[in-house]
Amino acid sequence: MSAIATGPNRRALLAGVTALAFAGAARASSAPLSRHSILIKTLIAQMTLDEKIGQLNQAPGGRQRALNSRIDAAQLDLVRRGGIGSYLHVAGADFLRELQRVAVEESPLKIPLLFGIDVIHGFRTIFPVPLGMAATFDPDIVKACSRVAAIETSVSGLHWTFTPMVDIARDPRWGRIVEGAGEDPYLGSRMAEAQILGLQTDDLSGRDAILACAKHFGAYGAAIGGRDYDSADISERTLQEVYMPSFFASARAGAGSFMTAFNDIAGVPTTANQALVRGQLRDQWGYQGLVVSDWNAILELINHGIAETPTQAAALALKAGVDMDMASGVYAGHLKEAVAADPSLTPYLDQAVGRVLATKARLGLFDDPFRFGDAAREKTELNSPAHRTIAGEAARKAIVLLKNEGGLLPLSPAGQRIAVIGALADDASSALGSWRARGQVGDVKTLLTALREQSGATLDYQPGAAPRGDDASGIPAAVAAAKAADVVLLVIGEDYDHSAEARSRSEITLPGVQSQLAQAVLATGKPVVVVLMNGRPLALADILGKAGAALETWFLGVESGPAIVDILMGKVSPAGRLPAGLPRNAGTSPTFYAHTPSGRPADPDLAKDSARYHDVAIGPLYPFGHGLSYASFAYADLAIDKPSIGPDQSAAISLSVTNTGKIAADEVVQLYMRDPVASVARPVKELRGFVRLTLKPGETRKVTFHLHATQTALWKTADQWRVEAGRIDVLVGASSEDIRLKGSFTITGSAIAMEPAASLLTRVSVG
């Protein structure tokens, strides 16, 4: 063995790898590897076949609720032999420091381990679930929350998180809609970028930066019927225009890793989809970061029916471009046999090893394998007051005011008797949501706790019924409390485990006997404010129709209760917006605002044949982008700086927004576009910009969106986007349905575009 494998020479060499390969920004993840390929190849040349395969093996160190539980003497021996490249579901600064010591001091090549964990919406300080974070329509607060998550994860000794989930989800029956940004590719792209930049910063080798993972490449959110893990049978245009933009934006933002999806697209599982992973992601997009499978997905290629043996599955995944095997052990147990049977796999193997090593170098682990993990900071950073302050801001910004008849909200609690009904009002565990990493129930302030501390009202709390229970015996007491109250807070929805992985539901109404509880309370005739807690859009047309006011609060994390109280009592005006529309019932799903118009568009007149259901009103109950305020806003003075632009130019679309209300409040101004006549039918609207403004009473601000012609491009043919000549309509408003201003401009020529239109950022200036 040469001096390259041990001691100071090895450190110097790999410091060179880091300096050459990853100088500067996080976005270098997609840069060519040519500058450091010789150095990486030199190290690879010292490795045995077993050691190479070991680098591709990510072993579970435990399960989500039992971290470190599988790290025993046998595992340590495997580390010493170079048989592990990464662990997931591990944590703790001291524990991981010792585990890393074994790798870098006792293994032959002394290559550091990569430690990963699911940090989906916070590590110890838990923020709103990702669907709730998207409801903020505020990339800055999303980035700030991700920065906190990175700090807490890093000081706990971890390098890698499997987030953001950037899957577009248009079917609320799919339980994992909770993990993403909802139904729109433009919003999804902006949320993805914000999370990646917050987690990784501009320098992954810098302080408290951790590796992000864009998942699940390519169309996991399009599962048929909303059934988790099921097939996505979609057109190439839908794949490229709807599901790919957020992944392209993630690659451009520098996501250090990608994860393949469990499911197949038109019969080809992504974990074995060479055209998609090695072709589009690697060759077309130039992405050179690490690609990891999802949990056990390589072995599941046998269930898909495209591999007969684990050895075949290993070969298919490696050929597709999957560098690391998460948890299945297929690479570790069968890749050696696959390479022996087919030596042409060797270059793929070396490429995968090179990307794993490059990722470790980029994180600075070869310079200092112990730079992550700080037991002293672990005690002060986790769930710190400063971090909770950011969590509270995010929670307030995520809350959506769905309706407010007669100005029922905000409440004036002084001297009032408030009935708080619903077990979710005091359910700390559900406030954390699913995938809560190291979040602790004891860290949560529930709605009931916050009301007792802040409201000054007389409270009568009655749980009524458990979130998914069948026991209705508590309903009479809840009804009695409602009758005796001045106002009722009806807190209903799902518990934390109802919206999550493998939690698809055919019915998306209230679980258990909550509907019975809600109808009984509404029948009292008292003013009722519905407070929804849930991880997916629920179909509650009847209940919401009868309530005086309604808030969509999602699962808001550790500061859930105080945030909701601040909105209820008017300390803060709500300004969250729906990242996915609320359906009228499950039978209308999937439905989404950016649909194509049809030759016979939906018509209210049932005597006419049109694209609608006959037993329910047209469209969602509340549309994408919807959200009310305690203030009111006037939109005026739409102006487009030029009547026509070339296919390589931008149009500046300006307007004024005035707070015509009596209180300071935020407003989310939304820009939509439509191509009314094109070579293929185009969506009736497509989001192409938004900005969240804070305006004082009477204040007017000018907003200008700079829309580039390439943002109108459509998927034309294989690997080609095209800007088409013609008129483009622009629509500006407070939601996808609440359009206040309209205008148009013309694109004077056609041109090939290089990027997915919805992935491109619309520059916004505010005066």
Side-chain angles (χ1 to χ4, degrees):
M1 183 177 298
S2 75
I4 205 168
T6 60
N9 290 338
R10 170 185 164 279
R11 287 289 175 87
L13 170 68
L14 290 168
V17 173
T18 305
L20 287 171
F22 302 113
R27 292 164 184 80
S29 69
S30 297
L33 296 174
S34 59
R35 290 178 296 171
H36 64 283
S37 60
I38 295 175
L39 298 174
I40 292 290
K41 286 178 182 178
T42 304
L43 180 60
I44 292 172
Q46 312 306 310
M47 302 173 74
T48 66
L49 178 57
D50 287 333
E51 287 170 333
K52 289 179 182 180
I53 293 172
Q55 286 300 303
L56 312 189
N57 180 24
Q58 183 179 65
R63 293 289 294 184
Q64 184 74 7
R65 295 184 179 87
L67 304 185
N68 309 330
S69 59
R70 297 185 183 181
I71 308 296
D72 55 15
Q75 283 290 306
L76 293 178
D77 284 342
L78 190 58
V79 171
R80 292 184 182 100
R81 297 197 303 271
I84 299 287
S86 174
Y87 276 109
L88 75 162
H89 292 169
V90 289
D94 288 337
F95 181 89
L96 294 183
R97 185 177 186 87
E98 174 58 21
L99 186 56
Q100 191 72 288
R101 186 200 64 76
V102 174
V104 300
E105 293 183 7
E106 300 181 25
S107 67
L109 294 182
K110 300 178 170 39
I111 297 174
L113 295 166
L114 190 59
F115 299 133
I117 192 172
D118 287 297
V119 181
I120 307 302
H121 54 112
F123 183 74
R124 174 68 182 273
T125 305
I126 303 300
F127 304 101
V129 292
L131 191 63
M133 292 298 296
T136 68
F137 273 64
D138 186 346
D140 288 340
I141 191 61
V142 173
K143 181 180 177 181
C145 291
S146 295
R147 184 86 289 273
V148 168
I151 291 169
E152 295 191 355
T153 303
S154 174
V155 301
S156 298
L158 291 145
H159 317 129
W160 188 10
T161 177
F162 306 108
T163 200
M165 191 192 93
V166 303
D167 301 303
I168 302 306
R170 292 178 162 179
D171 193 331
R173 295 173 296 180
W174 188 49
R176 294 193 83 164
I177 192 172
V178 67
E179 278 187 72
E183 70 177 62
D184 184 75
Y186 182 83
L187 178 63
S189 295
R190 304 290 77 81
M191 295 296 111
E193 292 166 348
Q195 291 175 82
I196 290 164
L197 294 175
L199 293 166
Q200 297 190 165
T201 72
D202 288 331
D203 181 7
L204 257 180
S205 65
R207 180 180 171 91
D208 298 329
I210 64 171
L211 191 72
C213 183
K215 65 181 189 184
H216 308 82
F217 191 69
Y220 188 37
I224 293 173
R227 294 182 298 272
D228 210 353
Y229 317 121
D230 213 330
S231 300
D233 197 2
I234 55 178
S235 70
E236 184 69 15
R237 172 167 288 108
T238 297
L239 175 66
Q240 299 299 336
E241 292 188 352
V242 176
Y243 294 95
M244 286 291 106
S246 55
F247 287 104
F248 185 88
S250 297
R252 186 182 53 210
S257 63
F258 267 54
M259 181 187 292
T260 55
F262 282 118
N263 66 338
D264 69 86
I265 302 173
V268 184
T270 304
T271 307
N273 194 329
Q274 193 166 350
L276 189 65
V277 181
R278 192 173 293 277
Q280 182 162 348
L281 179 63
R282 296 276 193 219
D283 297 340
Q284 293 177 26
W285 294 358
Y287 182 76
Q288 292 302 318
L290 174 64
V291 174
V292 62
S293 76
D294 209 335
W295 181 286
N296 206 47
I298 296 179
L299 183 61
E300 290 170 11
L301 293 177
I302 297 173
N303 291 343
H304 278 285
I306 67 163
E308 188 173 6
T309 66
T311 301
Q312 292 174 355
L316 286 170
L318 187 66
K319 286 181 180 179
V322 176
D323 303 315
M324 186 171 280
D325 174 7
M326 178 188 283
S328 79
V330 170
Y331 278 179
H334 303 277
L335 192 52
K336 188 174 184 177
E337 179 184 350
V339 172
D342 182 4
S344 69
L345 292 174
T346 299
Y348 295 128
L349 174 62
D350 288 351
Q351 289 171 10
V353 174
R355 283 189 280 264
V356 172
L357 294 178
T359 300
K360 293 178 178 182
R362 187 178 173 208
L363 283 162
L365 293 175
F366 288 118
D367 294 326
D368 179 6
F370 303 109
R371 76 181 197 86
F372 288 77
D374 186 327
R377 289 184 67 205
E378 197 173 21
K379 295 176 182 177
T380 60
E381 294 281 11
L382 302 192
N383 198 42
S384 70
H387 292 175
R388 291 190 70 111
T389 296
I390 295 172
E393 180 184 355
R396 289 189 294 271
K397 286 187 170 183
I399 295 171
V400 182
L401 179 59
L402 297 175
K403 67 179 296 187
N404 192 23
E405 292 183 355
L408 178 56
L409 291 176
L411 300 177
S412 299
Q416 282 201 321
R417 186 177 188 89
I418 299 177
V420 183
I421 296 173
L424 287 168
D426 202 33
D427 186 344
S429 184
S430 288
L432 292 174
S434 59
W435 297 109
R436 72 270 302 271
R438 304 308 291 155
Q440 305 296 315
V441 169
D443 294 340
V444 175
K445 280 196 171 183
T446 67
L447 173 56
L448 184 62
T449 298
L451 283 167
R452 286 169 173 163
E453 291 177 351
Q454 298 174 232
S455 70
T458 300
L459 302 177
D460 187 352
Y461 169 59
Q462 295 292 336
R468 64 171 81 188
D470 295 326
D471 183 0
S473 62
I475 293 178
V479 170
K483 289 179 177 179
D486 298 305
V487 65
V488 178
L489 298 181
L490 180 59
V491 188
I492 52 177
E494 304 176 308
D495 66 41
Y496 76 93
D497 200 34
H498 233 120
S499 291
E501 183 176 348
R503 298 297 185 270
S504 299
R505 294 174 56 198
S506 65
E507 293 293 340
I508 49 175
T509 54
L510 293 174
V513 296
Q514 286 188 91
S515 291
Q516 184 179 340
L517 170 67
Q519 295 293 357
V521 169
L522 289 163
T524 64
K526 290 300 180 85
V528 175
V529 178
V530 169
V531 179
L532 293 177
M533 295 183 180
N534 46 287
R536 57 155 55 86
L538 295 174
L540 304 176
D542 188 38
I543 290 170
L544 295 178
K546 294 175 182 177
L551 292 173
E552 173 59 89
T553 73
W554 321 104
F555 299 127
L556 292 176
V558 292
E559 288 293 325
S560 175
I564 297 171
V565 172
D566 283 347
I567 298 295
L568 287 170
M569 305 307 169
K571 183 178 178 180
V572 176
S573 179
R577 297 294 189 267
L578 290 177
L582 299 192
R584 296 182 185 276
N585 59 45
T588 64
S589 297
T591 185
F592 43 91
Y593 84 92
H595 60 86
T596 50
S598 164
R600 296 182 179 183
D603 194 301
D605 186 352
L606 288 174
K608 297 179 180 179
D609 295 338
S610 68
R612 60 162 298 175
Y613 297 103
H614 271 230
D615 57 345
V616 68
I618 296 169
L621 183 64
Y622 294 107
F624 173 86
H626 173 75
L628 305 178
S629 173
Y630 296 154
S632 55
F633 299 90
Y635 290 57
D637 306 323
L638 181 73
I640 301 174
D641 67 335
K642 51 183 78 78
S644 62
I645 62 172
D648 60 347
Q649 295 179 318
S650 297
I653 302 153
S654 63
L655 65 144
S656 63
V657 183
T658 302
N659 182 346
T660 56
K662 298 180 180 179
I663 62 170
D666 286 4
E667 173 73 343
V668 178
V669 183
Q670 300 164 46
L671 170 70
Y672 297 86
M673 59 148 277
R674 187 184 179 205
D675 185 347
V677 180
S679 60
V680 295
R682 304 305 297 151
V684 296
K685 297 183 191 76
E686 295 178 90
L687 184 69
R688 282 297 182 267
F690 60 86
V691 62
R692 183 165 176 151
L693 302 173
T694 300
L695 295 171
K696 300 174 184 177
E699 182 180 7
T700 298
R701 302 189 75 179
K702 181 180 179 180
V703 176
T704 303
F705 295 100
H706 301 270
L707 184 69
H708 198 276
T710 54
Q711 293 177 271
T712 72
L714 54 86
W715 178 260
K716 190 68 175 177
T717 57
D719 73 7
Q720 185 183 112
W721 292 83
R722 178 167 289 274
V723 178
E724 294 189 341
R727 190 182 91 226
I728 297 296
D729 295 334
V730 295
L731 310 94
V732 181
S735 82
S736 60
E737 292 298 321
D738 186 5
I739 300 300
R740 310 287 182 87
L741 302 170
K742 298 180 180 180
S744 64
F745 62 89
T746 299
I747 299 175
T748 58
S750 299
I752 294 173
M754 303 304 295
E755 300 169 311
S759 73
L760 299 172
L761 173 66
T762 299
R763 186 166 61 87
V764 184
S765 55
V766 180

